[in-house]
Amino acid sequence: DIVMTQSPDSLAVSLGERATISCKSSQSVFLRSNNKNYLAWYQQKPGQPPKLLISWASTRESGVPDRFSGSGSGTDFTLTISSLQAEDVAVYYCHQYYTLFTFGPGTKVDIK
Amino acid sequence: QITLKESGPTLVQPTQTLTLTCTISGFSLSAGGVAVGWIRQPPGKALEWLALIYWDDDDRYSPSLKSRLTITKDTSKNQVVLTVTNMDPVDTATYYCAHRLHPGPFMYWGQGALVTVSS
C-alpha cells in the first residue's frame, strides 16, 4: 500500500495570508511514461462530500479559484492557498491514484 | 450533469451484512474509462477507499478489507452495489460512492450515506 502523510494536522491563518499544506507519499506516484504525478487534492467542508480541487498534482479543476495551487513531484507535494478566504475553512486531503487509492489523514484549515 | 446517490440502511447490527446501492445519472456504467468507487469516512476521521468497479466489470478492493467486500454493477439499472460482510461498530461511517474517469482521480461524489453499526 502507498501510505500518505500530511503536515501539519491543522493550521490557523489570518484572512488574506498564505496557507501551505504538505503531503508525502511512501513511494513515488510519478509515472515516467506519461510524465504525470497521480496526486490529487480535495477540500471537504462539514456535512459535505469532498470536492476535487487539483488533479495530476498541479492541474486546477474548472471553477476552482486560482488562489489554490498544487506543486511537487515524486513523493513530496504541496497545496498552497495564496490568500485565505473565509470560505476556505475546511479539511484538505491529498489522494494518490497511482496504485489503488489512498488518502492522507487530512489537514484542518481555520481562520486565525 | 453527473450525479450519484447512495442508499441503504442507516442502522446495521453487528455481524450483519451491509448492502449499499449507488444510483447514478448523467453517464453510463458501460462507457469506456468509467469507474465507480466506494469510499467511507468514520465520524471525524479521514477518508478510506474500499472498492472500485470499471466499465468492463474489472474490480479492485482495499487489501485490508478485501475478504469482506463485494462490488457489482447493473448497467441497465444504473446502479453499483457494495456489500460488506460481518459488520462491526468500527465500520460506522458515512459511505460515499464516487465517479472516476480512468486514470484520473475521483471527481464526482454522492452526498454520502451514514451507516451506524450497533445492537
Side-chain angles (χ1 to χ4, degrees):
Chain A
D1 292 18
I2 297 179
V3 177
M4 309 299 290
T5 57
Q6 290 181 232
S7 62
D9 295 336
S10 64
L11 74 161
V13 175
S14 300
L15 288 173
E17 295 301 305
R18 179 185 300 259
T20 302
I21 301 169
S22 172
C23 171
K24 295 183 187 294
S25 56
S26 61
Q27 56 187 269
S28 177
V29 298
F30 177 72
L31 187 61
R32 291 187 183 184
S33 62
N34 62 6
N35 200 37
K36 286 182 179 290
N37 286 283
Y38 285 58
L39 190 284
W41 289 95
Y42 293 89
Q43 174 193 66
Q44 187 178 32
K45 297 180 180 181
Q48 296 184 18
K51 174 187 175 183
L52 180 63
L53 296 177
I54 289 171
S55 57
W56 309 111
S58 60
T59 302
R60 206 167 31 244
E61 295 299 313
S62 175
V64 174
D66 60 7
R67 62 180 180 272
F68 291 93
S69 64
S71 63
S73 184
T75 61
D76 292 273
F77 301 91
T78 301
L79 174 69
T80 302
I81 310 172
S82 60
S83 175
L84 191 75
Q85 305 300 303
E87 60 265 33
D88 301 335
V89 170
V91 178
Y92 293 83
Y93 294 96
C94 62
H95 163 56
Q96 70 80 18
Y97 45 103
Y98 180 81
T99 300
L100 297 182
F101 311 91
T102 47
F103 294 87
T107 294
K108 185 175 182 182
V109 174
D110 270 320
I111 305 294
K112 184 187 291 183
Chain B
Q1 180 189 3
I2 289 177
T3 65
L4 304 95
K5 185 172 183 179
E6 306 87 352
S7 60
T10 58
L11 181 65
V12 174
Q13 294 199 342
T15 74
Q16 282 189 333
T17 294
L18 170 68
T19 299
L20 290 169
T21 300
C22 176
T23 303
I24 64 97
S25 65
F27 66 98
S28 170
L29 292 170
S30 60
V34 166
V36 172
W38 286 93
I39 301 101
R40 72 179 179 181
Q41 186 173 38
K45 296 189 177 181
L47 301 161
E48 178 184 24
W49 170 72
L50 301 176
L52 182 93
I53 191 163
Y54 289 97
W55 74 96
D56 60 359
D57 288 327
D58 193 12
D59 55 27
R60 298 287 186 273
Y61 294 98
S62 166
S64 62
L65 291 164
K66 183 181 173 83
S67 64
R68 299 174 53 207
L69 301 174
T70 303
I71 189 169
T72 60
K73 66 180 176 67
D74 186 330
T75 302
S76 64
K77 292 184 178 179
N78 289 324
Q79 292 180 334
V80 175
V81 175
L82 178 74
T83 61
V84 187
T85 61
N86 195 24
M87 292 288 284
D88 182 272
V90 301
D91 297 312
T92 294
T94 296
Y95 287 74
Y96 296 99
C97 59
H99 166 284
R100 174 182 188 239
L101 194 58
H102 181 76
F106 294 107
M107 177 169 286
Y108 301 98
W109 294 61
Q111 287 299 308
L114 176 61
V115 178
T116 301
V117 185
S118 174
S119 54

